Amino acid sequence: MLKQKKATIIDVAKMARVSVATVSRVVNGNYPVRQDTRDRVQAAIDTLHYVPNVQARELNMRHSTTIGVVVPSFYNMFFAEVIDGIEETVRNYNYSLLINCAKNDPQQEMDCVRALVARNVSGIIVVSPNTAHIHASFYTDVISHAPIVFINTGWQQLPNASYVNNDERRGSAEALQYLMGLGHRHILFVRGGHSDSYTVKEESYRHIMSEKGLLDEELIVNIGEGNSISTVDKTTETLIPVIRKKNPTAISCCNDLMAVGALNACKKLGLRVPEDVSIMGYDNIALSRFVEPKLTTVDQNMLQLGTDAVTVLIDCIKGASSRHITLQNEIIERDSTGPCKE
Amino acid sequence: MLKQKKATIIDVAKMARVSVATVSRVVNGNYPVRQDTRDRVQAAIDTLHYVPNVQARELNMRHSTTIGVVVPSFYNMFFAEVIDGIEETVRNYNYSLLINCAKNDPQQEMDCVRALVARNVSGIIVVSPNTAHIHASFYTDVISHAPIVFINTGWQQLPNASYVNNDERRGSAEALQYLMGLGHRHILFVRGGHSDSYTVKEESYRHIMSEKGLLDEELIVNIGEGNSISTVDKTTETLIPVIRKKNPTAISCCNDLMAVGALNACKKLGLRVPEDVSIMGYDNIALSRFVEPKLTTVDQNMLQLGTDAVTVLIDCIKGASSRHITLQNEIIERDSTGPCKE
DNA sequence: CTGTTAGCGCGTTCAG
DNA sequence: CTGAACGCGCTAACAG
């Protein structure tokens, strides 16, 4: 580690025989500088390998150029795809990206956000937050420090916060109606533990099913943590006895991980998909196309979720007021669903 | 956005009727402060919602407490799992995590690293770098600015750089020998485009196959980008004609994405796995357990890759000299491989 | 135990 | 077009 101490603007100024102000000007290109002095400065910069000190600049400018993101987990490709959209857009705006993982834990979610605030990020994006388990005052306080946009929240609407949501209430309703259109009546609903989005979907399911007098509490199953590395296997395990007992003709899942779990459960029980039971996912992550049969699912357009969130956030950073965007979800018909044979 | 301007250490000092130094001391808890003045300061901090300015602190301390990570893609869970290990460890050390995605592009990989250096990160981790397509002088220059650790590089050994690698040469050799032990001789080798690791594995394959007089150039197929969202489908497409023509009894793949692609190709061709053809993956990402049959694969212990990298990096940041860690890969026997019937 | 003060590296007035 | 000087918010001597 022959770590050469970094050249500062002063070193460059000395070598180029100009003032620091001039160096600053050529670095930022925001004021006129005569060509030959500019060349001299540039030469000094090159030979010194000068790199401006971001901390100093940001301290001076009273704002940072990094935005912070909190995701609940890395184990669902859903988040990977959202992050992908975020990362690309953030880079295009010349901001940097600070990432924290809340590990599906409300407490840690707050810690992550606090760390971001302490870092002086110029904006924050929280993906699938746990607002149900976090006191609203926490986020209203955060909002007074930095603009914030929530991706895929449930119902909560904090003043001055931005939201980029999928219309999951409608999307899940359409998914259910799609199954019903296929003739299914005995439909299992599979949800996970902590996340607003599961609750929204469950409400939607309850509403429709009870409207048709089809509601049966035993048809609603919570498989616990919905975004962990073991979600698929856990779902398989949990569902096997339920399927055996209730004999559903279709299974509607809150995300694709659970749907793959359901798929594997059916295989273990010797049930054919979609001949014996139809399975519906949600998200349309890559995995839904990798399994056999490929999953019918509801597309959440993850990439756009990410890019829209960043766009809105940067606008807010520049002074715009908060905004709400709602994307429509579209059913992607593939091979895991079919007509009810009963 | 009624963005209240943030309280500074001076505001707190005034309100608590003490000097800024005292405030600093209670914030950092590094020097004795009398209990009652400490309480007064804490009260002021609370009512003012004071949050220390990281830029100022870091400028003063002449170092940042963030580390930067560059990954080639988000579309292979391999990276998600490595990042997971990194994120958790980084947080435990009270550092923050800056993430950049190189999109499998050497040029962009360099841009990402440069951005990190400009941000003054205290250390850099590059996952699966493209050293084959990047001039060594680029990274040697970076190393003079910040300690760096490479995860899963191929052969290159830059002075003063740290490496956390899997012994992929040996792992892939063992995988091949495992297949041979099952009686297979006619083994397809599937690799991707740009990545040192594919090349290492190909060398290993060539070495063993030619040793036994089994080498056939047509048995080596490059499916292009190996970590993109379309890797699975691309592999399926590419492999179908090859399998039809060469009739391999086993397929050894450079990663699990490709293995799933191979699996789907076999299904489309009406070949049973593992009865008609055995398939071997590499990585042991979650996906390998989601598909049916579950993939036999080689575990790369992604989580440990991440945690080890951070541990080494933080040591280097604290002044230790560079280190090389090599993890052994273990074959995970599952259901996609079986004895050769021919 | 506590206060005073000198920078950290940079952008930005304000004079020339 | 260029330079001198100030201050961003904080930590670390140093002096009490």
Side-chain angles (χ1 to χ4, degrees):
Chain A
M1 276 306 313
L2 20 154
K3 196 160 169 179
Q4 69 204 38
K5 63 164 64 76
K6 301 181 81 153
T8 78
I9 199 172
I10 298 184
D11 301 322
V12 177
K14 273 188 194 142
M15 172 171 284
R17 322 261 231 83
V18 296
S19 71
V20 294
T22 302
V23 178
S24 170
R25 287 178 189 122
V26 349
V27 168
N28 298 304
N30 47 359
Y31 288 95
V33 175
R34 224 175 42 214
Q35 187 58 45
D36 59 325
T37 78
R38 176 193 304 284
D39 291 344
R40 234 170 45 246
V41 171
Q42 191 56 54
I45 288 177
D46 292 342
T47 77
L48 257 30
H49 288 94
Y50 169 68
V51 180
N53 180 313
V54 184
Q55 278 76 23
R57 165 189 269 145
E58 294 190 344
L59 171 58
N60 194 318
M61 308 274 258
R62 269 165 294 284
H63 78 276
S64 83
T65 53
T66 108
I67 76 143
V69 171
V70 179
V71 295
S73 156
F74 289 118
Y75 282 112
N76 183 339
M77 276 280 287
F78 176 86
F79 303 111
E81 300 194 27
V82 172
I83 290 176
D84 197 46
I86 292 176
E87 199 270 346
E88 175 157 356
T89 316
V90 161
R91 199 215 323 283
N92 290 342
Y93 279 107
N94 275 312
Y95 276 67
S96 286
L97 191 58
L98 233 28
I99 290 192
N100 281 15
C101 180
K103 297 273 161 70
N104 296 300
D105 174 5
Q107 197 57 48
Q108 187 160 336
E109 181 177 321
M110 292 193 278
D111 289 344
C112 291
V113 172
R114 280 198 203 93
L116 257 15
V117 171
R119 287 236 159 239
N120 238 320
V121 295
S122 36
I124 297 176
I125 296 176
V126 184
V127 187
S128 300
N130 225 303
T131 53
H133 295 75
I134 292 181
H135 198 285
S137 71
F138 172 77
Y139 274 119
T140 56
D141 187 57
V142 171
I143 293 170
S144 71
H145 283 82
I148 191 166
V149 11
F150 294 101
I151 291 182
N152 262 26
T153 314
W155 51 84
Q156 201 136 15
Q157 302 289 327
L158 267 27
N160 297 317
S162 293
Y163 292 85
V164 179
N165 282 320
N166 282 291
D167 192 343
E168 293 184 277
R169 192 176 304 278
R170 180 163 153 193
S172 57
E174 282 176 2
L176 203 54
Q177 276 147 4
Y178 175 86
L179 289 174
M180 288 179 161
L182 253 21
H184 298 282
R185 291 293 173 271
H186 207 55
I187 305 170
L188 207 59
F189 175 80
V190 183
R191 60 161 292 170
H194 305 302
S195 169
D196 297 351
S197 100
Y198 304 144
T199 305
V200 166
K201 288 170 187 156
E202 181 178 335
E203 283 174 7
S204 178
Y205 172 87
R206 281 180 180 278
H207 179 69
I208 295 177
M209 292 298 270
S210 58
E211 216 173 30
K212 315 226 170 197
L214 260 25
L215 191 61
D216 172 355
E217 290 297 335
E218 288 188 89
L219 248 36
I220 297 176
V221 7
N222 185 324
I223 55 87
E225 185 42 56
N227 290 313
S228 84
I229 191 159
S230 51
T231 296
V232 172
D233 291 341
K234 187 69 189 309
T235 304
T236 302
E237 260 175 54
T238 309
L239 249 37
I240 285 178
V242 179
I243 295 175
R244 202 174 260 146
K245 176 174 182 195
K246 307 295 293 183
N247 278 309
T249 66
I251 305 177
S252 180
C253 304
C254 278
N255 72 30
D256 288 337
L257 253 28
M258 300 175 199
V260 172
L263 189 62
N264 291 345
C266 288
K267 283 181 185 163
K268 290 206 177 179
L269 289 169
L271 297 168
R272 292 162 307 162
V273 176
E275 292 80 357
D276 300 322
V277 17
S278 285
I279 293 178
M280 184 101 189
Y282 212 109
D283 285 354
N284 192 28
I285 58 176
L287 174 63
S288 66
R289 272 167 296 141
F290 296 166
V291 294
E292 195 65 34
K294 296 186 193 308
L295 249 37
T296 294
T297 188
V298 182
D299 184 38
Q300 297 227 48
N301 215 334
M302 282 80 81
L303 215 67
Q304 195 182 345
L305 234 36
T307 59
D308 283 2
V310 174
T311 307
V312 169
L313 186 60
I314 303 255
D315 284 351
C316 290
I317 291 171
K318 290 180 176 165
S321 51
S322 62
R323 204 137 39 101
H324 291 206
I325 292 181
T326 301
L327 306 176
Q328 289 309 318
N329 290 181
E330 191 189 346
I331 293 178
I332 308 291
E333 296 188 54
R334 285 200 279 249
D335 314 324
S336 68
T337 49
C340 181
K341 294 266 174 70
E342 292 181 1
Chain B
M1 277 308 313
L2 21 153
K3 196 160 167 178
Q4 69 202 39
K5 62 164 64 75
K6 304 180 78 157
T8 78
I9 199 172
I10 298 184
D11 301 323
V12 177
K14 273 187 195 143
M15 171 171 282
R17 324 262 230 78
V18 296
S19 73
V20 294
T22 302
V23 178
S24 171
R25 293 194 265 256
V26 351
V27 168
N28 297 305
N30 46 0
Y31 287 94
V33 176
R34 222 175 44 214
Q35 188 58 44
D36 58 326
T37 80
R38 175 193 304 284
D39 291 344
R40 234 167 49 244
V41 171
Q42 192 55 53
I45 288 177
D46 292 342
T47 78
L48 257 29
H49 288 93
Y50 168 69
V51 180
N53 181 313
V54 184
Q55 278 77 24
R57 166 188 271 145
E58 294 190 344
L59 171 58
N60 192 307
M61 308 273 258
R62 267 167 293 285
H63 77 277
S64 82
T65 52
T66 108
I67 77 141
V69 171
V70 179
V71 295
S73 158
F74 289 118
Y75 282 112
N76 184 338
M77 277 280 287
F78 176 86
F79 303 111
E81 300 193 28
V82 172
I83 289 176
D84 197 47
I86 292 177
E87 200 271 345
E88 176 157 356
T89 315
V90 161
R91 198 216 323 287
N92 290 342
Y93 279 107
N94 275 312
Y95 276 67
S96 286
L97 190 58
L98 234 27
I99 291 193
N100 280 16
C101 179
K103 295 275 160 70
N104 296 299
D105 175 4
Q107 197 57 49
Q108 187 159 334
E109 180 176 322
M110 291 193 278
D111 289 345
C112 292
V113 172
R114 280 197 203 94
L116 257 16
V117 171
R119 287 236 158 240
N120 238 320
V121 295
S122 36
I124 296 176
I125 296 176
V126 184
V127 187
S128 299
N130 225 302
T131 53
H133 295 76
I134 292 181
H135 198 285
S137 72
F138 172 78
Y139 275 119
T140 55
D141 187 56
V142 171
I143 293 170
S144 72
H145 284 83
I148 191 166
V149 12
F150 294 100
I151 292 181
N152 262 26
T153 315
W155 51 84
Q156 200 134 17
Q157 303 287 328
L158 268 27
N160 296 317
S162 293
Y163 293 84
V164 179
N165 282 321
N166 283 291
D167 192 342
E168 293 185 277
R169 189 176 306 276
R170 179 162 154 193
S172 57
E174 283 176 2
L176 203 55
Q177 275 147 3
Y178 175 85
L179 289 174
M180 289 181 161
L182 254 20
H184 298 283
R185 290 293 172 272
H186 207 53
I187 304 170
L188 208 59
F189 175 79
V190 183
R191 59 162 293 170
H194 305 304
S195 170
D196 296 352
S197 100
Y198 305 143
T199 305
V200 166
K201 288 170 187 156
E202 180 177 335
E203 284 174 6
S204 178
Y205 171 87
R206 282 179 180 280
H207 179 70
I208 295 177
M209 292 298 271
S210 58
E211 217 173 32
K212 314 224 171 198
L214 261 23
L215 191 59
D216 172 354
E217 290 296 334
E218 287 189 89
L219 249 27
I220 297 177
V221 7
N222 184 324
I223 56 89
E225 186 40 58
N227 289 314
S228 84
I229 190 159
S230 51
T231 296
V232 173
D233 291 342
K234 187 68 189 309
T235 304
T236 302
E237 260 174 54
T238 309
L239 249 37
I240 286 179
V242 179
I243 295 174
R244 202 172 261 145
K245 178 174 181 194
K246 307 296 292 184
N247 278 311
T249 67
I251 305 178
S252 179
C253 303
C254 278
N255 71 31
D256 288 336
L257 254 27
M258 300 175 199
V260 172
L263 190 61
N264 291 345
C266 288
K267 283 181 185 164
K268 290 204 178 182
L269 289 170
L271 296 168
R272 292 163 306 162
V273 176
E275 291 80 359
D276 300 322
V277 16
S278 286
I279 294 179
M280 184 102 189
Y282 212 108
D283 284 355
N284 192 26
I285 59 176
L287 175 63
S288 66
R289 271 168 296 142
F290 296 166
V291 295
E292 195 65 34
K294 297 187 192 308
L295 249 37
T296 294
T297 188
V298 183
D299 184 37
Q300 296 228 48
N301 216 334
M302 282 80 80
L303 214 68
Q304 195 183 346
L305 234 35
T307 58
D308 283 1
V310 175
T311 306
V312 169
L313 187 60
I314 302 257
D315 283 351
C316 290
I317 291 171
K318 290 180 175 163
S321 51
S322 62
R323 205 139 34 105
H324 292 206
I325 292 182
T326 301
L327 306 176
Q328 289 309 317
N329 291 180
E330 189 190 346
I331 293 178
I332 308 291
E333 296 189 55
R334 286 201 279 249
D335 313 325
S336 67
T337 48
C340 181
K341 294 267 174 69
E342 293 182 1

